[in-house]
């Protein structure tokens, strides 16, 4: 098999014509010169006019040449020829040297013309060939055309339908057609049914106008496979400017186009990802200047890309206290690792602080120096606040468990101390000095009781008497009292909600909380100021409002009032405020106490709810105020939040579940007066000392008391007549059965038995159903007795005990008033 490139080259016909014409011209000139010499030497001066053939030979250079002979040559040849002719005319035979010089010039002129002209004629397809090529044999150039990988074809527009007259081997390889199958056809046969019309229009008009074209067209190979042909067409003209040929240069760029497409797709995809991801992506140079930022970055920071570009992160986005965190990103970590991970806080255009978790990786420049850094950041402001929030909640939970455990044990001790002191002071005939001692001891025991009550309140274990409360009424009745108590330097203002803010909570505790907050506010305004108590109804949908769990870091130092920050929610998950709220509650009611006092630093704010945390001097504060409000709010199904800015003021919100039912006359239990004694009370208490003092108190109150040390004993007593009217029982008792189970059993035996629980702390749910687990809620609702057993918290005074027992008797006595369902 012979290689295409070995084929002999067929020079174009026109080339041969040109060469013969010039060879013959050259021959005529030379012959004329030699003939003249010969005649000169041998002949007489009669041949005087023999200079003219030289002149004629010079002038006989063909016309139509693209470049004329240089003018000086023309002039020199003409003058010398005339001189020489003139000398011969005068018959002076000594001028042979002049003739030789003149002859040489004429020959040189002829030579000069000839090869130039011959070269032009011999290479019709390259009218603009350079002089260097002039010496290159045509065969060599043709060999190059044959050897290239680029397809080359020549068409002849002077023939019908501009057919291919030459195709190189590379074109055969590209199209799959041998040269002889292409020659004689217009190249359009390669298009089959395909073709980009715009590209073909381009070619068509270029061909028509005899100009160049540079297009990509879809062509089909002989084997049917489609390929993309990068086609360049250039016209060829002869010396007279007439269009003689077209040269087509073809390359199969299918793979290249595919690669380009893939690259483009990839680039588009990358751009789309970059613009749609939630993450911030920035390209930052080694000097910390932003080179590029994605859409998320614009969205989050509030700056447009043009405002970000070229700016240093440290100048535009970093709060001063954060400068160090960012600087670390530009150095490899301790292990020399590439990807840096860290968190930093940025300031948005609006001055908000956002917390971002970054990973940074350097991008190597061409010289392997880290020129750029790719920053990819996630906005973790919310998550971070929630984590801090739930961390705080966990801490409070643990402290709550601890304090209520201690308080429970102390309550038993205090009950004994208090009861016995009360007993002694009444029964013994003490002199004034001793009576004073006992009074002091009783006072101390009372204070101890208050302390443990606060601790229980914080641990959400206080005994609450929830009632329907209108916060507006509650605030209105207290505001005068507050104005008087807080002193003249403090102005008390109230802003009450237009919608009545009904809630169900223990009114005594709400009052307590309000007074506590007012005292805190007073202490924060030693030089006076304004205390504002306001109520409002918060929408049930929290979306539009401030999520108390997320505001921790926001808006600091902007002087727009206290920032919304720390909060503690009851039953809330670490997430949104509304998430764990009972779905039946139509939102929340808010009681807000704001002051214009010293405010709290973030550190104080973070610890304000902790029991015993106080910044007040020794003896001035117990640090139990906010913690008990916190416990109360949570136990009531709400939460508390603090917003505070140092030097601006503080506002504390108590949020409680909103109640949409208006109170009925039955809800007002205050009208109930005490009833007469002499009823039988069965007292069940495992602690001997507590039992003894309680029994003594009951007897004092006129009740007939029968004692039991545990549930089993109590059940025996219940079985024997006379049956008791009221069961007063401790909640937590040894022997397998607790007070609630006992009460349920006793109720089953004696449906009209009154029940009063006494406890060191109140377990969350003491309803009969909670202990039996079997009763249906509807049966419970139908039975007026099936409601949570009232509970009296230790330590209690005789008066407390009296009130509680009589209260119980009221509800079970035939004809007595009972609290209906829903209470
Ligand atoms: C020198 C030359 C080479 C050409 N090579 C190709 C080619 O490889 N593939 C192609 O589709 N068209 C090629 N063409 C274009 C077609 O020959 C033709 O000009 C085009 O299809 C538009 O004209 P039409 O409307 O007459 O078909 C070439 C044209 C010239 C002058
Ligand atoms: N309105 C307020 N302004 C500034 N700081 C306050 C405010 N309320 C509370 N604090 C800070 O929170 C701390 C805890 O308050 P909390 O009410 O729990 O305890 P206390 O007021 O110090 O003591 P107690 O209430 O038991 O008398 C206070 O010591 C004070 O530092
Ligand atoms: Mg306080």
């Amino acid at each position: 098999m012979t290689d295409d490139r070995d084929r002999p080259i067929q020079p174009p016909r026109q080339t041969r014509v040109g060469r013969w014409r010039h060879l013959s011209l050259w021959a005529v000139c030379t012959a004329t010169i030699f003939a003249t010499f010969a005649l000169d030497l041998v002949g007489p001066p009669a041949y005087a006019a023999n200079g003219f053939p030289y002149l004629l030979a010079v002038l006989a250079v063909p016309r139509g040449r693209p470049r004329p002979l240089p003018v000086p040559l023309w002039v020199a040849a003409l003058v010398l020829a005339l001189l020489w002719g003139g000398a011969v005319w005068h018959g002076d035979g000594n001028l042979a040297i002049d003739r030789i010089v003149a002859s040489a010039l004429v020959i040189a002129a002829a030579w000069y013309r000839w090869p130039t002209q011959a070269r032009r004629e011999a290479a019709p397809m390259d009218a603009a060939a350079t002089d260097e090529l002039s010496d290159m044999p045509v065969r060599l150039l043709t060999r190059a055309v044959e050897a290239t990988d680029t397809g080359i074809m020549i068409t002849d527009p002077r023939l019908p339908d501009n057919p291919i007259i030459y195709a190189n081997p590379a074109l055969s390889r590209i199209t799959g057609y041998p040269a002889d199958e292409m020659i004689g056809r217009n190249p359009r046969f390669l298009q089959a049914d395909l073709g980009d019309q715009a590209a073909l229009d381009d070619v068509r008009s270029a061909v028509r106008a005899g100009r160049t074209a540079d297009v990509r067209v879809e062509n089909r190979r002989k084997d049917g496979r489609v390929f993309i042909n990068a086609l360049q067409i250039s016209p060829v003209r002869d010396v007279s400017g007439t269009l003689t040929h077209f040269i087509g240069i073809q390359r199969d760029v299918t793979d290249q186009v595919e690669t380009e497409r893939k690259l483009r797709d990839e680039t588009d995809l990358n751009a789309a990802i970059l613009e749609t991801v939630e993450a911030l992506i920035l390209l930052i140079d080694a000097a910390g200047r932003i080179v590029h930022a994605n859409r998320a970055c614009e969205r989050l920071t509030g700056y447009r890309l043009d405002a970000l570009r070229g700016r240093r992160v440290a100048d535009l986005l970093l709060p001063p206290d954060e400068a160090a965190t960012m600087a670390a990103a530009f150095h490899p970590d301790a292990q020399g690792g590439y990807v840096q991970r860290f968190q930093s806080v940025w300031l948005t255009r609006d001055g908000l602080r956002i917390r971002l978790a970054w990973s940074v990786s350097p991008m190597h420049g061409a010289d392997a120096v880290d020129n750029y850094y790719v920053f990819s950041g996630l906005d973790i402001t919310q998550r971070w606040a929630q984590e801090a929030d739930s961390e705080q909640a966990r801490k409070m939970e643990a402290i709550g468990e601890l304090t209520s455990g201690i308080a429970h044990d102390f309550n038993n001790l205090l009950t004994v101390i208090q009861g016995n002191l009360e007993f002694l002071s009444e029964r013994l005939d003490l002199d004034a000095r001793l009576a004073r001692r006992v009074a002091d001891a009783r006072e101390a025991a009372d204070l101890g009781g208050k302390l443990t009550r606060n601790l229980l309140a914080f641990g959400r274990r206080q005994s609450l008497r929830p009632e329907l409360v209108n916060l507006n009424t509650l605030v209105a009745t207290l505001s005068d009292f507050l104005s008087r108590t807080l002193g003249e330097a403090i102005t008390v203002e109230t802003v009450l909600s237009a919608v009545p803010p009904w809630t169900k909570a223990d009114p005594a505790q709400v009052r307590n909380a309000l007074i506590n907050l007012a005292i805190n506010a007073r202490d924060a305004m030693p030089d006076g100021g304004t205390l504002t108590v306001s109520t409002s109804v918060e929408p049930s949908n929290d979306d539009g409002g401030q999520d108390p769990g997320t505001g921790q870091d926001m808006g600091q130092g902007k002087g727009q009032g206290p920032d919304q920050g720390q909060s503690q929610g009851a039953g809330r998950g670490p997430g949104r405020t509304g998430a764990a709220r009972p779905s039946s509650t139509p939102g929340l009611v808010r009681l807000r106490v704001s002051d214009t006092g010293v405010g709290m630093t973030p550190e104080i704010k973070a610890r304000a709810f902790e029991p015993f945390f106080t910044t007040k001097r020794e003896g001035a504060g117990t640090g139990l105020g906010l913690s008990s409000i916190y416990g109360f709010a949570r136990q009531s199904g709400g939460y508390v939040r603090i917003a505070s800015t140092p030097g601006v003021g503080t506002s504390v919100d108590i949020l409680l579940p909103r109640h949409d039912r208006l109170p009925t006359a039955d809800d007002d239990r205050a009208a109930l007066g005490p009833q007469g004694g002499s009823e039988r009370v069965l007292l069940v208490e495992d602690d001997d000392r507590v039992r003894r003092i309680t029994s003594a108190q009951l007897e004092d109150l006129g009740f007939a008391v029968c004692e039991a040390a545990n549930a089993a004993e109590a059940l025996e007593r219940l079985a024997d007549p006379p049956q008791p009217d009221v069961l007063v029982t401790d909640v937590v008792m040894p022997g397998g059965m607790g007070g609630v189970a006992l009460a349920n059993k006793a109720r089953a035996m004696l449906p009209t038995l009154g029940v009063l629980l006494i406890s060191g702390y109140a377990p969350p749910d003491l309803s009969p159903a909670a202990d039996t687990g079997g009763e249906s809620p509807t049966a419970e609702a139908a039975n007026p007795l099936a409601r949570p057993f009232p509970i009296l918290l230790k330590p209690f005074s005789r008066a407390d005990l009296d009130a509680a027992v009589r209260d119980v008797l009221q509800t079970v006595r035939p004809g007595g008033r009972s609290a209906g369902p829903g209470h």
Side-chain angles (χ1 to χ4, degrees):
M1 200 174 111
T2 54
D3 192 292
D4 286 332
R5 277 166 274 195
D6 292 336
R7 267 194 297 140
I9 299 159
Q10 293 297 311
R13 213 159 44 88
Q14 218 179 0
T15 303
R16 286 199 295 270
V17 172
R19 182 180 293 174
W20 284 121
R21 202 162 89 206
H22 287 278
L23 273 179
S24 50
L25 176 69
W26 180 77
V28 168
C29 284
T30 311
T32 312
I33 289 165
F34 282 105
T36 311
F37 267 111
L39 286 172
D40 248 7
L41 290 176
V42 295
Y47 296 96
N50 58 6
F52 289 105
Y54 295 89
L55 186 58
L56 277 175
V58 172
L59 293 176
V61 175
R63 274 185 298 279
R65 32 179 202 251
R67 271 196 298 170
L69 250 189
V71 175
L73 262 182
W74 269 104
V75 173
L78 191 64
V79 169
L80 280 173
L82 286 173
L83 270 178
W84 184 63
V88 169
W89 184 265
H90 288 295
D92 180 2
N94 295 324
L95 285 176
I97 291 174
D98 297 331
R99 287 177 214 173
I100 289 165
V101 171
S103 301
L105 271 169
V106 172
I107 291 165
W111 270 105
Y112 175 84
R113 277 309 299 149
W114 175 71
T116 310
Q117 189 64 23
R119 188 191 70 222
R120 293 212 172 110
E121 294 284 321
M125 55 203 93
D126 190 0
T130 55
D131 285 342
E132 294 86 68
L133 285 178
S134 63
D135 297 331
M136 208 173 275
V138 170
R139 192 181 148 73
L140 202 57
L141 288 175
T142 313
R143 183 66 76 207
V145 170
E146 302 269 304
T148 183
D149 268 345
T150 305
I152 298 173
M153 69 159 68
I154 302 167
T155 64
D156 189 343
R158 294 166 304 185
L159 298 174
D161 199 24
N162 192 13
I164 300 171
I165 59 161
Y166 170 77
N168 76 342
L171 190 66
S172 292
R173 286 195 296 276
I174 292 170
T175 62
Y177 290 96
D180 53 0
E181 284 184 31
M182 290 190 271
I183 286 171
R185 302 168 79 176
N186 182 290
R188 85 170 70 79
F189 80 92
L190 288 168
Q191 292 160 13
D193 51 336
L194 302 151
D196 170 1
Q197 278 316 311
L200 290 179
D201 287 349
D202 233 22
V203 177
R204 193 172 304 121
S205 52
V207 169
R208 231 173 254 154
R211 348 178 228 94
T212 57
D214 194 343
V215 293
R216 281 181 177 186
V217 286
E218 269 188 337
N219 278 177
R220 207 185 275 284
R221 279 169 54 87
K222 191 180 178 189
D223 60 15
R225 186 170 68 79
V226 172
F227 70 100
I228 296 172
N229 187 353
L231 171 66
Q232 287 174 299
I233 294 173
S234 38
V236 180
R237 293 170 194 285
D238 67 8
V239 283
S240 64
T242 312
L243 181 69
T244 58
H245 299 88
F246 279 106
I247 298 184
I249 309 277
Q250 280 106 336
R251 280 177 308 123
D252 178 353
V253 291
T254 316
D255 290 347
Q256 186 190 331
V257 167
E258 181 62 11
T259 312
E260 282 169 5
R261 191 187 57 77
K262 276 194 187 139
L263 199 71
R264 213 173 32 244
D265 285 356
E266 214 168 285
T267 312
D268 289 353
L269 185 71
N270 285 343
I273 292 172
L274 200 68
E275 293 312 309
T276 43
V277 284
E278 284 292 316
L280 286 83
I281 295 177
L282 291 129
L283 192 64
I284 294 180
D285 70 12
R289 278 186 301 263
I290 298 169
V291 179
H292 187 74
N294 70 341
R295 190 90 26 96
C297 195
E298 293 183 300
R299 253 197 321 268
L300 237 95
T301 61
Y303 290 106
R304 298 291 306 265
L305 180 56
D306 15 321
L308 290 170
R309 218 175 244 155
R311 297 292 299 272
R312 273 167 46 89
V313 174
D315 298 341
L316 189 68
L317 298 157
L318 275 193
D321 50 314
E322 283 285 325
T325 57
M326 208 66 182
F330 297 99
H331 303 288
D333 63 17
Q335 283 79 45
Y338 264 55
V339 177
Q340 293 279 351
R341 289 179 210 285
F342 65 97
Q343 291 188 9
S344 70
V345 172
W346 277 20
L347 278 183
T348 67
R349 191 159 171 253
D350 300 332
L352 288 181
R353 290 168 75 94
I354 47 173
R355 180 165 284 265
L356 299 159
W358 292 107
S359 45
V360 178
S361 45
M363 235 175 67
H364 295 284
D367 48 0
V369 175
D370 299 345
N371 288 334
Y372 297 103
Y373 295 82
V374 180
F375 276 64
S376 146
L378 284 176
D379 176 12
I380 55 159
T381 315
Q382 198 148 332
R383 200 182 74 202
W384 188 81
Q386 284 165 357
E387 275 169 10
D389 221 27
S390 62
E391 179 55 36
Q392 177 77 358
R394 270 198 295 278
K395 191 174 85 181
M396 300 295 269
E397 197 67 35
I399 301 174
E401 287 293 326
L402 185 74
T403 50
S404 51
I406 296 170
H408 171 257
D409 289 351
F410 265 99
N411 275 340
N412 274 344
L413 301 176
L414 287 170
T415 310
V416 177
I417 296 168
Q418 229 176 19
N420 283 304
L421 286 173
E422 196 176 10
F423 210 80
L424 281 178
S425 62
E426 284 170 7
R427 297 297 154 89
L428 296 180
D429 191 13
L430 300 171
D431 65 32
R433 220 165 58 93
L434 286 179
R436 182 71 236 147
R437 293 275 172 279
V438 173
D440 279 356
R442 284 185 68 179
E443 208 180 302
D446 275 350
L447 280 177
K450 260 189 203 136
L451 202 77
T452 52
R453 239 182 267 278
N454 272 330
L455 289 178
L456 285 173
F458 171 68
R460 287 172 288 140
R461 295 285 172 81
Q462 71 180 324
S463 162
L464 294 177
R465 293 164 182 271
E467 281 174 29
L468 282 181
V469 179
N470 182 342
L471 290 184
N472 281 353
T473 319
L474 192 137
V475 170
T477 53
L478 265 183
S479 69
D480 278 353
F481 166 78
L482 290 178
S483 302
R484 276 197 313 275
T485 327
L486 298 181
E488 280 176 6
I490 292 172
T491 315
V492 177
E493 286 177 358
T494 54
V495 182
L496 301 182
S497 156
V499 181
W502 284 101
T503 183
K504 193 166 184 185
D506 188 330
Q509 294 305 326
V510 182
R511 265 191 291 271
N512 220 5
L514 179 50
I515 293 169
N516 254 313
L517 293 178
I519 292 171
N520 278 354
R522 179 201 63 192
D523 294 346
M525 300 187 287
D527 304 324
T530 306
L531 172 93
T532 311
V533 183
S534 62
T535 60
S536 70
V537 173
E538 301 252 303
S540 53
N541 180 2
D542 240 14
D543 288 350
Q546 163 95 35
D547 185 341
T550 61
Q552 198 107 358
D553 256 6
M554 302 297 185
Q556 252 170 20
K558 284 186 63 205
Q560 88 280 49
D563 62 328
Q564 291 299 316
Q566 184 179 347
S567 69
Q568 300 301 330
R572 284 195 306 137
R576 302 190 56 78
T577 324
R581 208 179 282 154
S583 54
S584 59
T585 56
L588 295 163
V589 291
R590 191 195 70 198
L591 175 64
R592 172 175 289 179
V593 179
S594 314
D595 62 55
T596 54
V598 293
M600 299 186 208
T601 61
E603 295 75 31
I604 292 179
K605 197 172 79 174
R607 298 193 58 193
F609 289 122
E610 282 177 26
F612 301 114
F613 175 80
T614 178
T615 56
K616 290 168 190 170
R617 63 183 162 73
E618 190 73 28
T622 59
L624 286 170
L626 286 176
S627 58
S628 56
I629 295 172
Y630 161 81
F632 156 67
R634 291 200 61 185
Q635 198 179 343
S636 305
Y639 62 95
V640 187
R641 65 186 176 201
I642 297 179
S644 187
T645 305
V648 176
T650 302
S651 82
V652 182
D653 290 354
I654 300 176
L655 291 123
L656 295 169
R658 185 182 171 197
H659 213 279
D660 53 359
R661 188 171 68 85
L662 290 179
T664 63
D666 272 356
D667 291 314
D668 181 11
R669 307 185 66 236
L672 289 177
Q675 310 290 311
S678 84
E679 287 85 355
R680 281 185 72 79
V681 175
L682 171 58
L683 172 67
V684 193
E685 167 67 63
D686 62 302
D687 187 313
D688 292 348
R689 285 172 301 174
V690 176
R691 192 175 64 246
R692 275 202 301 275
I693 184 61
T694 313
S695 169
Q697 285 171 326
L698 285 168
E699 276 168 8
D700 247 20
L701 292 167
F703 295 104
V705 185
C706 144
E707 294 178 30
N710 55 49
E713 227 175 87
L715 289 172
E716 276 174 31
R717 296 267 188 291
L718 280 170
D720 298 335
Q723 283 153 345
D725 301 294
V726 183
L727 169 70
V728 176
T729 176
D730 191 16
V731 174
V732 183
M733 287 185 296
M737 189 185 280
V740 179
L742 169 66
N744 280 320
K745 265 231 161 83
R747 264 284 164 76
M749 291 163 72
L750 304 172
T752 58
L753 180 75
V755 174
L756 174 68
L757 303 177
I758 52 174
S759 176
Y761 57 73
D765 189 358
L766 292 179
S767 71
D771 216 26
T772 59
E775 240 171 287
S776 76
T778 38
E780 199 184 307
N783 178 3
L785 298 173
R787 64 185 191 86
F789 300 120
I791 187 160
L792 179 65
L793 215 67
K794 296 171 187 171
F796 43 79
S797 68
R798 193 176 51 194
D800 292 339
L801 186 62
D802 186 30
V805 174
R806 290 192 196 294
D807 211 29
V808 168
L809 281 168
Q810 268 301 318
T811 59
V812 293
R813 245 186 215 150
R817 298 173 64 188
S818 65
H823 183 79

